[in-house]
Amino acid sequence: MADKYNAGTINIEAVTNSIVSNGGDVSKKTNADGSTHYSVYSTTENRHLSYDKDNDGNISNVHTDKNNRAYMDYKGGR
């Protein structure tokens, strides 16, 4: 079995908007390599999205969870 699993793509903007519109917030920090780490979270829904974006706009290290479990089924951003 592969040590990495790619479940597909996530519409970062739609998921961010969904989490924020349901009482969430976004935090950012600069990584040592100059990229930015984003964390989008809602404590009321226990949802979380995090990812890194480099200076060219490339996104990597995407992670989502809901109720502290891996979560990918956002059904159009939810």
Side-chain angles (χ1 to χ4, degrees):
M1 175 177 231
D3 61 342
K4 303 287 183 203
Y5 175 70
N6 182 352
T9 60
I10 295 174
N11 183 329
I12 298 287
E13 184 177 343
V15 175
T16 297
N17 291 339
S18 175
I19 292 172
V20 170
S21 70
N22 286 292
D25 202 359
V26 180
S27 67
K28 301 187 295 188
K29 75 172 190 168
T30 302
N31 295 323
D33 64 1
S35 64
T36 303
H37 179 77
Y38 291 85
S39 183
V40 185
Y41 55 90
S42 170
T43 56
T44 58
E45 293 186 311
N46 202 11
R47 292 168 61 194
H48 176 251
L49 161 72
S50 64
Y51 61 94
D52 295 326
K53 184 185 279 189
D54 69 17
N55 294 330
D56 294 328
N58 299 309
I59 294 175
S60 61
N61 302 321
V62 177
H63 172 79
T64 63
D65 62 69
K66 181 174 183 180
N67 297 324
N68 300 318
R69 297 180 56 107
Y71 188 69
M72 295 291 288
D73 186 12
Y74 281 97
K75 296 179 181 154
R78 292 186 75 59

